[in-house]
Amino acid sequence: MNKRMEVIEKEKIFVWGIVSVILLMAFSKNSPIYLTNNWVDANAFMTMGKGMMQGLVPYKDLFEQKGPLLYLIYGLSSLINSKEFTGIYIVECIGMTINLVFCFKILKLYLSEKSSFLLTLFFPVLLLNDQFFRQGGSAEELSIPLLMLLLYSVMKTIKISSESLHFSKWIYLWQGLSVSMIFFIKFTLLGPWVGFYLFIFIYLIVKKETKELATLIVYSAIGLFIGILPWLSYFLLNDAIADFFNVYLFINSNAYNASSVNLIERFSFILQVVIENMKENWITLLLVFPGWVIIPVFQEISKKSSHRLFLFVISLSTLFFTYIGMKSYEYYFLFFMPFGVVGLVMLGKISSFLINEAKRILDFKSTILFPWAFIVSFLLIFGYNGNLQESLYFPNNSTFGTKGTEEKRTAQKLFAEYMLMEKTNPTLLNFGFLDGGFYLAADILPSEYYFELQNLEYSVFPDNYDGQIQAIEEGRVDFVVVETDPKQQEEYFDQLGLTENYQAVMTHNQTCDERERMYWLFEQKR
């Protein structure tokens, strides 16, 4: 019997894997049906990751602001293909499979297996919504599997336990390890674990459960230590521990943290962000928001109000730390979308009242119902994710070029061909904007510390822009790529001092994020 159950579980994992491969093939720009992922963040992560694979040390040799584990993931993926995002697509498929497996497990705590399977097919509608998903490969997306494991552990415990909140020592160890992994991916995503540990720590103190508290502290600390030690050793061995603290912690904390803003203003800002995301997106309005606000009173989650409060605190902490810096980019909200699983539970419970009546007019056979649900899910994602229209199946799309006479190749590919034809080992500077994918297309490692321009105010951190200007003035690179408005004239570059040492050799117009851009390639004067 146990072996048969194991086979069934493996079959379900295989099904979720196939679903993940198909959906991400269509809607992630890291997949093989796209010429490239033109999202600047993903390209920056890839440049940093490839640098790590070649011995460059984050924060010491290259300036970027996310965590080193994120760069390592990208770096390892680049070993599969150094000029494309194929490896990240594989990582995404693994991550989405984990997400679906644990969504299914969570739903099974409250619903029948058939209903759970059916509703899990709609979970990707939340995660692949391109308002938050963007082109794919964000720190938020790659961190969601760890959040799903946390949610499953919490929701299983509060569903089963009618008394105390007790977790196994292995769960504490894993959550401690998760904290370290999230910290080294993007530390503002630590909110769920801050909520988890803060609530349970206070809860156990109030209950005077010192033995459980000791287990929590010891095993969580072991997991945390296991995750921190390799990175501590890495930066110490490379004499880069000061660079790590300065860039990743100090600069990030100061650049994005509005220290003069009080707690009420922060909560007001977060509430505005949530409302805006709900107003602009009916999926979040109809499923995520109702599922979230109902947690404190939804007795299906747990009969005990304190246990429901536990889950609600985790959700609030997620929002608070995501927007703690009073900055809001659309993709930030993706990390909150997994809480939509509560909305799926609510939807399943409501649907159960209607099924008996619906059986008279609808065919509920699994062989028909599950393929139908997958198709509906796919169409819903297609309605809220426009990435597919920028794939190779739409060769006339404007991400290749906006002029009818232009060859259907991107600026990245065209510039790469020119640079590699002119120089054996060309050096390049991505000047004045975030990484546009030109390093990746030409398979070039940056020679400049400030290889791109971060989203940092000049008044807060002038070194980034000044460092790029200095590289141009001293003619330290062979080529410079610049992104401008399509109506920009070449005289503009005289003001920057770019034409002193460089001359424009190529231009190409294409869209990115639904906005037309003009890319210029400058070559050092001979």
Side-chain angles (χ1 to χ4, degrees), residues 375-440:
I375 292 169
V376 171
S377 177
F378 187 95
L379 293 174
L380 285 172
I381 297 169
F382 183 75
Y384 260 100
N385 187 314
N387 287 344
L388 188 59
Q389 296 172 59
E390 298 180 358
S391 71
L392 294 171
Y393 292 113
F394 295 81
N396 294 317
N397 77 78
S398 59
T399 61
F400 294 168
T402 58
K403 297 178 181 178
T405 57
E406 288 178 324
E407 189 176 352
K408 294 306 176 184
R409 284 187 292 168
T410 63
Q412 289 83 350
K413 293 291 183 183
L414 292 168
F415 291 4
E417 288 173 6
Y418 181 88
M419 288 186 287
L420 295 172
M421 182 176 65
E422 292 293 310
K423 294 276 186 180
T424 305
N425 293 299
T427 53
L428 172 67
L429 178 65
N430 186 108
F431 173 65
F433 66 111
L434 285 163
D435 192 329
F438 295 93
Y439 295 110
L440 177 66

